[in-house]
Amino acid sequence: MPAESRAAAVREEHNRKKQYILEEGKPIAPLVDMGVFTREGKVVRSMYDKFRQINRFLEILEDELANWKGDSIHVIDFGCGKSYLTFIVYYYLTEIRGIRAEIIGLDLKADVIEKCSRAAQNYGYDGLHFEKGDINGYKTPFDVDLVMTLHACDTATDYALEKAVRWNAKVILSVPCCQHEVNKQMKSELFAPVFHYGIIKERMAALYTDALRAEVLEAMGYRVQILEFIDMEHTPKNILLRAVRADEKRVTKKSAGTAIEKCERFLQIEPTLGRLLADKGENYKE
């Protein structure tokens, strides 16, 4: 057996032994339609990586719902796209956790929203709705418990995070996508020999962007973790920000703002998230 085939067989055997939140043997309609499950509820061999990614996301979510108080939860999913995870999160919350969920998926593409709405109706997911709309200016119809933003492009992630902060969301789960803003802005004589290499500068800019987003969320009263969401072998865009509203602020806005501001001045950058919060009267730098 070729080495690659042996390695794939070992990974598959490991996957089968691991206890996942979504287990094989029970057909889950959205997973069947996605091609992840067969109609008998078995994982399609070529879709094991997708199956693992979905379960990884649910594991990260479950950590914060272990002590969830109340029998309902309200969720906004910004930039939901085809809504693979949106459907699974709804299934997890309602069928596995027994929580009454109301989820709104928001996206700019009318055809995608129409298709997702039809699917939700077909599955009987009465609490799952989809709307065409922009993150900027969106007004939620309920008090938000959880904000999801998965692969929102560039500064769309910042607009989603700003909304989540202003809504005082209890939990924020964000998987950023392409990040161009800081890459275009940042300059440094000290780092000039490093920034000279485009791919290095691009990766550093992405890390700086997410680290500063995390620090801003900390300053706004959240406990933040930066987690590996997807194995690096599948994609370099493998970071997930998990922010949970803290009972007490761990840092003062002033001290956090000073440190963030020093970093931004050094790199000569002005990230969107901080500017949005300042414009809306939530200036952590004061």
Side-chain angles (χ1 to χ4, degrees), residues 84-103:
Y84 295 145
L85 276 176
T86 321
F87 285 109
I88 298 305
V89 167
Y90 185 85
Y91 173 88
Y92 162 75
L93 291 171
T94 57
E95 299 295 328
I96 296 179
R97 292 301 305 272
I99 299 174
R100 181 167 51 85
E102 188 168 356
I103 301 180

Side-chain angles (χ1 to χ4, degrees), residues 43-212:
V43 179
V44 176
R45 176 174 295 186
S46 62
M47 297 297 287
Y48 257 108
D49 287 339
K50 176 65 70 175
F51 178 66
R52 290 173 59 216
Q53 292 168 19
I54 291 170
N55 276 281
R56 173 59 176 155
F57 185 85
L58 294 181
E59 288 170 1
I60 292 171
L61 174 60
E62 189 170 62
D63 286 345
E64 301 308 327
L65 296 182
N67 299 312
W68 187 260
K69 297 179 181 179
D71 58 358
S72 65
I73 187 169
H74 297 92
V75 183
I76 296 288
D77 183 3
F78 279 127
C80 60
K82 295 181 180 179
S83 304
Y84 295 145
L85 276 176
T86 321
F87 285 109
I88 298 305
V89 167
Y90 185 85
Y91 173 88
Y92 162 75
L93 291 171
T94 57
E95 299 295 328
I96 296 179
R97 292 301 305 272
I99 299 174
R100 181 167 51 85
E102 188 168 356
I103 301 180
I104 294 178
L106 191 72
D107 200 272
L108 290 172
K109 298 179 180 178
D111 58 334
V112 170
I113 292 300
E114 183 179 352
K115 183 176 180 180
C116 290
S117 296
R118 286 199 306 268
Q121 292 176 354
N122 292 337
Y123 299 146
Y125 290 176
D126 297 335
L128 178 56
H129 307 281
F130 296 91
E131 299 179 13
K132 180 179 181 296
D134 193 349
I135 291 174
N136 188 23
Y138 180 73
K139 295 183 179 180
T140 175
F142 45 58
D143 292 335
V144 179
D145 297 308
L146 167 65
V147 170
M148 296 166 46
T149 168
L150 308 176
H151 300 128
C153 187
D154 201 16
T155 58
T157 293
D158 298 297
Y159 282 93
L161 294 177
E162 181 259 335
K163 283 291 186 184
V165 169
R166 292 185 62 210
W167 290 336
N168 210 22
K170 295 182 178 69
V171 180
I172 304 170
L173 298 179
S174 176
V175 179
C177 187
C178 54
Q179 300 155 321
H180 303 302
E181 181 183 47
V182 168
N183 187 25
K184 293 176 181 178
Q185 294 178 355
M186 68 181 190
K187 301 175 184 177
S188 169
E189 291 185 9
L190 179 63
F191 285 163
V194 178
F195 290 169
H196 173 72
Y197 300 97
I199 190 171
I200 299 298
K201 184 183 179 186
E202 179 184 353
R203 292 182 181 179
M204 291 179 69
L207 293 173
Y208 289 148
T209 299
D210 288 330
L212 287 170

